[in-house]
Amino acid sequence: MSNEQFIAVQGGNLRVRVDGPHDAPALVFSNSLGTTLEMWDAQAAKFSRDFRVVRYDTRGHGGSVVSPGAYSFDLLGSDVVAILDALDIARAHFCGISMGGFTGLWLGLNAASRMHSIAVCNSAAKIGTAEGWNTRSAMVREKGVAAMKELADSSPSRWFTEAFIAAQPQVVARAQSWIAGVDPQGYAGCCDALAGADVRDRIAGMAVRTLIVAGSADPVTTVADGRFMQEHIPGATLAEVPASHLSNLEAPQAFDDALGRFLRA
Ligand SMILES: O=C(O)CCC(=O)CC(=O)O
């Protein structure tokens, strides 16, 4: 059974898709910057056998429609809580990649009572630099859709290994189509959130079972970033998968095995 709906959050509505048995434990997937809930198609097909899989387009992305502005992780994290409330889910497992992984850190620090477990994938306690994100958001606001086309052209080298780009051009082209279609205002608002995001001195306070997934060839959020989180989050485990930044797309089997082992443990 599949079900797509819009859920009201502060300033608009998020596009949410739910798959799997209604009475199964909930598992929420959160996308990376410049992608949509479709990035989780393979994981949703697999994990919806045993979980009520909830996916959503992060505000400013895909079919979600929210007012523009400078977003924050207080907002992005509260969106997840609003989705859980609307779906009457008391507690959920959570899996987010990159920006979505940082949303997971926010949930672990601010909404732990709503979480069974959190998988923080290809992410970091601080992603990039404030200067880099501010430059990118200014460029996107100035150039609009032309900037999204430029980002679509340049993103494969940050998202995938050269070998994967050569071997799986259709997967790469699909990911490029997501970022090309993202609303520039929404993308810029999320860059603003990333610019202000740094929980390096707080993650020791995470009180939720945590898995860190790192891509061995990820140039954006590195294995060292993953190790830092694993060393500072109490009880966290680290799984390294043979992939670059969008590891669930590049190495789905290794990604799903790591996530599945963690969820079953
Ligand atoms: O992927 C993310 O959510 C943040 C990092 C990023 O945007 C990678 C990139 O395209 O530069």
Side-chain angles (χ1 to χ4, degrees):
M1 195 185 86
S2 163
N3 170 29
E4 201 164 300
Q5 61 191 287
F6 284 85
I7 289 181
V9 293
Q10 192 180 319
N13 293 284
L14 299 187
R15 175 179 165 243
V16 178
R17 187 174 169 127
V18 184
D19 299 277
H22 187 82
D23 56 354
L27 169 59
V28 180
F29 284 105
S30 181
N31 60 281
S32 62
L33 183 68
T35 64
T36 66
L37 62 75
E38 277 75 16
M39 79 172 310
W40 299 111
D41 280 352
Q43 283 71 38
K46 189 174 285 184
F47 286 96
S48 63
R49 291 177 210 140
D50 298 316
F51 292 89
R52 185 182 181 199
V53 170
V54 178
R55 300 180 269 165
Y56 67 103
D57 287 337
T58 295
R59 66 170 54 225
H61 285 65
S64 291
V65 182
V66 294
S67 44
Y71 304 148
S72 67
F73 277 93
D74 283 346
L75 207 46
L76 300 184
S78 299
D79 287 345
V80 177
V81 175
I83 291 170
L84 297 183
D85 288 344
L87 296 175
D88 207 15
I89 295 169
R91 283 176 96 110
H93 299 278
F94 181 90
C95 174
I97 191 160
S98 198
M99 175 177 69
F102 200 101
T103 298
L105 295 175
W106 186 95
L107 290 164
L109 291 169
N110 297 283
S113 66
R114 306 298 300 271
M115 296 290 120
H116 286 304
S117 72
I118 296 175
V120 178
C121 311
N122 298 85
S123 195
K126 174 175 165 54
I127 303 176
T129 64
E131 189 190 10
W133 292 118
N134 289 334
T135 302
R136 200 186 291 193
S137 65
M139 186 273 282
V140 170
R141 285 197 172 97
E142 187 191 324
K143 294 192 187 170
V145 290
M148 300 317 297
K149 169 81 175 67
E150 280 177 27
L151 285 165
D153 290 342
S154 65
S155 59
S157 64
R158 295 189 301 278
W159 286 355
F160 303 108
T161 61
E162 285 303 318
F164 185 81
I165 292 167
Q168 299 281 348
Q170 72 290 354
V171 177
V172 176
R174 188 164 181 242
Q176 287 178 290
S177 75
W178 296 327
I179 188 167
V182 170
D183 171 28
Q185 297 297 328
Y187 186 92
C190 287
C191 290
D192 295 334
L194 286 161
D198 182 355
V199 291
R200 286 173 296 179
D201 62 354
R202 293 185 59 209
I203 52 173
M206 291 262 293
V208 181
R209 217 174 131 247
T210 304
L211 169 70
I212 310 294
V213 176
S216 52
D218 186 345
V220 181
T221 48
T222 62
V223 173
D225 290 322
R227 280 205 194 102
F228 178 88
M229 291 189 286
Q230 191 235 331
E231 283 163 8
H232 287 81
I233 297 172
T237 51
L238 173 71
E240 195 173 320
V241 297
S244 181
H245 191 53
L246 299 190
S247 66
N248 70 310
L249 296 175
E250 177 158 353
Q253 189 67 56
F255 185 96
D256 295 355
D257 286 351
L259 181 59
R261 270 196 307 274
F262 172 69
L263 291 171
R264 279 192 306 273

